[in-house]
Amino acid sequence: MATSSSSTLSSPFLRLEFPSARKQRSSNYVPFIRASVSEKPPPAVSVTSPEPTKLPIRKIPGDWGLPVIGPLKDRQDYFYNQGRDEFFKSRIQKYQSTVFRTNMPPGPFITFKPNVVVLLDGKSFPVLFDTSKVEKKDVFTGTYMPSTDLTGGYRVLSYLDPSEPKHALLKQLLFFLLKSRRAHVIPEFHASYKDLFNQLESNLAETGKASFGDANDQAAFNFLSRSLFAANPADTKLGQDGPKIVQKWVLFQLGPVLRLGLPQFLEESTIRTFRLPASLIKKDYQRLYDFFYSSSSSVLDEAERLGITRDEACHNLLFATCFNSFGGMKLFFPNIIKWIGRAGVKLHARLAQEIRSAVRDAGGEITMAAMENMPLMKSVVYEAFRIDPPVPLQFGRAKRDLLIESHDHAFQVKEGDLLFGYQPFATKDPRIFERAEEFVGDRFVGEEGEKLLKHVLWSNGPETESPTLGNKQCAGKDFVTLVSRLLLVEFFLRYDSFDIQVGTSPLGSKVTITSLKRSSF
């Protein structure tokens, strides 16, 4: 039977954790993801410093310009005249400040409230995670919110603030899903990405090159479907169409803030001026919904027990799987291959040696415990998250008047101001990281390296903290870390080294494999 919201919020809280590498385990032990239970959801934890009192207070520089004209000018600079990184760099130089005012796309005519206070350093940025100071309601995509017609008429979890009762219920449902399917993650990843490697090798043999992204899209969707829902898309009416439908559906949501590579006039007169009608994607979305509904019976049963309707639960499962998880793997996996490929054969050899040795010591099996004994591999994953986070834009609305610190000044923010942070600038802050613009594979190895993990912020929170019902940190943080590690483990068990070519796409890097050297030891 469904329970009331009040009773559900006091039910046991499930938290996903990685086991400690210090504990001795048999070589065939496969713990995957462990769940611990506490009686009550912990309160939201402040990750910002106390109200600043020592730094000089400076007026926030910059302005928003005239209505309509200012936002349109900033939009032209952001997408076309300068590009995103130069847009922010030029304003840091102009104002001599990492905190300033500007407008963020899309602006008119999709939204007439594009005004933001920008936070571009590692000290000010974390206020965006502090739900005692900022509200996260309807700011997942920034200064506008896509139509709920694209999500079944519901505001899904990503758009909810932790103060809203549904937030805890829906996040608890995702914890339940991850915990209940933990034993299937490693074997299903192996099966799905074995198919990917076979496809890459076949394409290389035929044409001398292979698109990693195309193969990864199908492998990621298959893996998520099989591991989380015990469903093989190829055996259903959905077939192999899942990744293409998801990509189209995401375009309807994020189109206003994407650079598609079309002529400027065409982009400006279409995706930046009006919303693409949800009716155009309705039939395709229904195919995704039917697939997840028919594959999620046990999770939907749990949803009803928590007091969530099966329909709302299914739309949230679809969003979490397709937008959050699949979207993350689509963006991040090519990025990590890009950075490791560019790092060269010395890093490849070190990774191959470490990974193969740890797996041999674990009796030839890939286990969570074995991966805890791969410090370089773990560091490489963290470094990829640091230098190229899969979700680079973060937003939050000030709940009250605040003082926010950068390294040099404090700034007064008014209640209701929309705060925005461009994460790659915060995680490449040269006052926190040495050689901040470089990919340093072993940056997080050892005691001193591990101290820097609190500044790795890819998951909508610090790497050193965990998702809870009371915060907005990614519910699947540990899951995403695990599958990213699995990618490297599977890759370097099979290959000694590889070569790539890198281009760009609307959703991240376009990586083409040009050679793969099979394992020689």
Side-chain angles (χ1 to χ4, degrees):
M1 296 293 291
T3 57
S4 68
S5 297
S6 58
S7 62
T8 304
L9 286 171
S10 63
S11 65
F13 164 62
L14 301 175
R15 180 161 59 97
L16 304 180
E17 296 178 336
F18 289 110
S20 170
R22 298 183 180 89
K23 296 181 181 179
Q24 298 296 316
R25 304 192 186 277
S26 63
S27 61
N28 61 353
Y29 179 76
V30 186
F32 301 100
I33 302 171
R34 188 181 72 230
S36 63
V37 178
S38 60
E39 290 304 315
K40 295 181 180 179
V45 177
S46 172
V47 297
T48 59
S49 59
E51 292 290 345
T53 57
K54 296 181 180 179
L55 290 176
I57 296 178
R58 179 184 176 187
K59 181 181 178 181
I60 300 174
D63 61 70
W64 297 314
L66 295 173
V68 181
I69 296 174
L72 287 177
K73 182 182 182 301
D74 286 340
R75 188 168 83 190
Q76 299 304 306
D77 287 345
Y78 183 88
F79 285 114
Y80 310 105
N81 299 335
Q82 295 176 306
R84 184 164 62 184
D85 282 22
E86 185 58 33
F87 177 86
F88 296 121
K89 287 179 182 177
S90 66
R91 283 154 178 78
I92 290 175
Q93 293 170 356
K94 177 180 179 180
Y95 302 126
Q96 292 297 295
S97 175
T98 53
V99 178
F100 54 86
R101 300 183 191 276
T102 193
N103 298 288
M104 280 296 291
F109 294 95
I110 291 177
T111 176
F112 287 90
K113 296 181 179 180
N115 311 145
V116 299
V117 176
V118 183
L119 313 176
L120 295 179
D121 62 82
K123 189 172 183 183
S124 63
F125 187 92
V127 74
L128 292 163
F129 310 140
D130 187 347
T131 55
S132 72
K133 296 182 177 180
V134 299
E135 183 183 67
K136 306 292 277 188
K137 181 179 180 180
D138 297 339
V139 295
F140 178 62
T141 47
T143 61
Y144 78 107
M145 179 180 171
S147 170
T148 56
D149 290 342
L150 293 164
T151 50
Y154 298 99
R155 291 171 57 240
V156 293
L157 177 61
S158 292
Y159 292 95
L160 300 181
D161 185 77
S163 64
E164 300 179 76
K166 279 285 180 69
H167 180 276
L169 297 176
L170 291 168
K171 200 166 187 180
Q172 186 165 337
L173 183 66
L174 295 185
F175 288 145
F176 170 83
L177 170 66
L178 292 167
K179 177 179 179 291
S180 65
R181 296 294 299 175
R182 65 189 183 277
H184 301 276
V185 174
I186 292 178
E188 292 296 353
F189 191 94
H190 173 78
S192 296
Y193 277 78
K194 180 180 178 181
D195 292 341
L196 174 142
F197 297 139
N198 288 337
Q199 182 178 341
L200 293 179
E201 292 174 15
S202 176
N203 292 344
L204 274 172
E206 291 179 10
T207 65
K209 60 182 180 179
S211 169
F212 178 82
D214 291 345
N216 178 62
D217 286 355
Q218 194 64 60
F221 191 84
N222 290 345
F223 158 69
L224 291 168
S225 301
R226 295 168 183 169
S227 63
L228 298 180
F229 302 100
N232 184 20
D235 297 333
T236 71
K237 293 180 180 179
L238 187 61
Q240 302 295 323
D241 295 339
K244 292 180 180 178
I245 295 175
V246 172
Q247 188 164 314
K248 188 191 305 183
W249 172 64
V250 169
L251 174 62
F252 274 65
Q253 297 172 76
L254 297 184
V257 292
L258 294 180
R259 180 74 170 92
L260 300 183
L262 301 173
Q264 179 177 344
F265 171 77
L266 187 58
E267 286 192 348
E268 286 292 297
S269 61
T270 55
I271 60 173
R272 310 238 191 281
T273 301
F274 59 85
R275 299 171 185 262
L276 296 174
S279 59
L280 297 180
I281 194 73
K282 184 176 181 179
K283 290 184 178 179
D284 281 337
Y285 182 80
Q286 187 65 44
R287 292 181 65 194
L288 286 175
Y289 178 90
D290 291 343
F291 171 75
F292 284 99
Y293 194 91
S294 63
S295 307
S296 308
S297 295
S298 62
V299 189
L300 299 180
D301 290 343
E302 175 66 11
E304 287 191 317
R305 190 190 72 78
L306 292 171
I308 309 167
T309 68
R310 299 177 81 86
D311 184 58
E312 182 172 8
C314 187
H315 286 290
N316 274 273
L317 293 174
L318 189 161
F319 192 93
T321 305
C322 295
F323 195 109
N324 300 135
S325 300
F326 173 80
M329 294 173 74
K330 178 180 177 63
L331 286 167
F332 186 65
F333 279 17
N335 284 347
I336 196 170
I337 293 296
K338 173 187 72 176
W339 288 108
I340 296 172
R342 287 175 170 175
V345 295
K346 288 185 179 179
L347 179 61
H348 301 174
R350 292 174 64 195
L351 284 168
Q353 179 63 48
E354 177 184 85
I355 288 168
R356 294 169 197 177
S357 175
V359 171
R360 280 196 298 270
D361 291 347
E365 295 186 22
I366 300 172
T367 66
M368 291 273 288
M371 285 188 285
E372 286 298 314
N373 292 322
M374 303 175 189
L376 177 62
M377 180 276 293
K378 292 192 297 180
S379 176
V380 164
V381 171
Y382 290 138
E383 178 69 344
F385 277 126
R386 179 194 74 85
I387 201 168
D388 215 348
V391 183
L393 312 180
Q394 298 288 346
F395 295 83
R397 193 172 299 280
K399 288 184 173 180
R400 52 184 169 83
D401 291 353
L402 299 172
L403 281 176
I404 295 177
E405 282 188 327
S406 69
H407 292 294
D408 301 312
H409 296 93
F411 301 88
Q412 292 181 323
V413 171
K414 297 297 184 182
E415 178 182 352
D417 280 350
L418 184 60
L419 310 180
F420 158 76
Y422 183 49
Q423 191 164 295
F425 277 40
T427 53
K428 289 186 286 188
D429 187 333
R431 296 174 71 165
I432 294 175
F433 295 102
E434 295 181 2
R435 299 158 60 193
E437 297 287 340
E438 297 180 37
F439 181 86
V440 181
D442 57 3
R443 185 185 298 276
F444 300 102
V445 172
E447 184 176 349
E448 291 303 311
E450 290 179 358
K451 290 179 181 179
L452 292 171
L453 287 176
K454 65 184 178 181
H455 301 294
V456 178
L457 311 171
W458 67 273
S459 62
N460 205 12
E463 182 59 41
T464 49
E465 295 189 8
S466 296
T468 71
L469 299 184
N471 67 21
K472 285 299 289 183
Q473 193 160 26
C474 174
K477 170 179 176 279
D478 290 347
F479 176 80
V480 175
T481 303
L482 171 58
V483 297
S484 301
R485 293 175 177 181
L486 284 173
L487 176 67
L488 295 196
V489 171
E490 294 282 1
F491 195 97
F492 284 103
L493 284 175
R494 188 172 180 121
Y495 304 111
D496 285 344
S497 188
F498 64 104
D499 293 303
I500 58 171
Q501 294 175 346
V502 179
T504 59
S505 73
L507 292 173
S509 300
K510 181 179 180 180
V511 175
T512 301
I513 306 289
T514 56
S515 73
L516 290 168
K517 183 180 179 181
R518 289 298 296 262
S519 172
S520 61
F521 65 94

